[in-house]
Amino acid sequence: MGGIALMLGYLCTQWLAATRRYAFESKRSRLELETLGKRLEILNAKVQAAPEVAWNSFRKFTVARKVEECADTYSFYLKPHNGRPLPAFKPGQYLTFEVQPPGLPKAQIRCYSLSDGALTDEHYRVTIKRYIRDDGKPGVVSTYFCDDVKEGDILNVKAPSGKFYLDVEVERPVVLISGGIGITPMLAMARVLTHLNDPREIYFFFGCRSGVDHMFREEVIELQKNNPNMRLHICYSRPSETDVKGEHYNHHSRVTIDLMKEVLPSSNYEYYLCGPGPFMDSLVAGLYEWGVPKKDVKFEAFGPATVKAGPKDGAAAPADGAVSAIEVEFSRSGKKVPWDPECANLHAFAEKNGIPIDYSCGAGSCGSCLVAIKKGNVNYDMEPGTEVDEGSCLTCICRPAGNIVIDA
Ligand SMILES: Cc1cc2nc3c(=O)[nH]c(=O)nc-3n(C[C@H](O)[C@H](O)[C@H](O)COP(=O)(O)OP(=O)(O)OC[C@H]3O[C@@H](n4cnc5c(N)ncnc54)[C@H](O)[C@@H]3O)c2cc1C
């Protein structure tokens, strides 16, 4: 049985155990137990239907529903166009889309996290916020989704992927921390734990400016009602006059490390973070300073990664002084240049030298910047979110480990 089926099998066992716990501990009504039993049956059916691999390349999905969550933020409920069953995903993973907004010369690739985590769902859901660039212009693809994509449209979607996910088998209490649209993977995690009736403690911190951009408010409150182990901490940095403390939000502040220290009984949790660059930089650094081991701090960047995790375990970092002696050869362009240690990654170095390599997420997730390595090796700054073929590298998150020849 494949990995997905194995995971679903495990979830089934958990669900069954949860159902029994319900029976003995909560003395639930017969009707409720029957409903739970039905859900287990559906889950079992999914185990049987789970394919070995989700699917390769792009698959067609129909936009079944489009829902406005808050200002400039929409959820898209996606159903497979061929009507066949949907493979399960791990809470925290994302989908990769290929879209062609009008007026652009070529198709664009972007990743969007799955924001739903209901195991029996017949759809996938992503939630997209209109991105505003540093120059004040709206982002191309997020704007296309917000303004143009409508119910009934068909989209090209790659299978769920990504290494940033909650491992349901590790039974440690979790702290889910998000800012703005970074809530999407956290919502999927909280939903899966709740639907599994998982007994672990969940601290859910969410930060936004005010009630205007407080997305999923009702959904998260509903989750909390169904999960006595979930503790909500909503932070508004600039509440409006109509926002009521204690009703709409809990803290008039940003999500900070001091708040964590105040609220959490200890630092001994597994932490999952997703949000804007400065938010992640300060919180990740704060958690490390607080003594939380690096292995317990997991984070995802939605844009070019600012938080560096250091070279992947086992990756040989070049010795000091050896870095500037490294030579990078771009075989297709016939260019050989000494590596510039100031460059954040191989993609930035190629760009600096006028070598075009496709690029999209800047976070090792979408696979756009993949190039073949003809000779040599690379070190990654962070774990790639997508599978990297043997003999290739994701140039947006790696640096050469020594002399290297790449097909660009
Ligand atoms: C794994 C992953 C999951 C994601 N999940 C979501 C999600 O659930 N919901 C959602 O709305 N978005 C999500 N994103 C971001 C999304 O993929 C797009 O980057 C975003 O919609 C902007 O694309 P655009 O075409 O609108 O902007 P563009 O026209 O591409 O302009 C954005 C430009 O700014 C740069 N940039 C700098 N910082 C950031 C940043 N923090 N985010 C995006 N771009 C940045 C980009 O490199 C790019 O050049 C996710 C990204 C990744 C990598």
Side-chain angles (χ1 to χ4, degrees), residues 110-113 127 129 131 133 139-142 181 184 302-303:
R110 294 291 184 278
C111 306
Y112 292 102
S113 300
T127 306
K129 184 175 174 64
Y131 182 73
R133 299 186 204 175
V140 173
V141 174
S142 55
I181 191 64
T184 49
F302 276 1

Side-chain angles (χ1 to χ4, degrees), residues 137-216:
K137 291 195 180 131
V140 173
V141 174
S142 55
T143 298
Y144 172 67
F145 269 99
C146 291
D147 294 350
D148 300 330
V149 173
K150 55 188 187 312
E151 291 177 4
D153 282 359
I154 293 177
L155 300 168
N156 287 332
V157 186
K158 269 195 195 171
S161 56
K163 304 274 162 57
F164 174 74
Y165 58 80
L166 186 136
D167 189 344
V168 288
E169 292 191 44
V170 178
E171 290 181 3
R172 285 189 64 195
V174 289
V175 184
L176 309 178
I177 310 167
S178 58
I181 191 64
I183 194 175
T184 49
M186 304 304 157
L187 195 51
M189 292 177 193
R191 285 180 69 94
V192 163
L193 291 178
T194 304
H195 286 211
L196 282 173
N197 198 27
D198 189 295
R200 85 183 76 182
E201 216 181 351
I202 308 171
Y203 278 90
F204 193 102
F205 288 88
F206 171 70
C208 61
R209 228 169 337 176
S210 68
V212 174
D213 44 13
H214 186 173
M215 57 193 85
F216 295 116

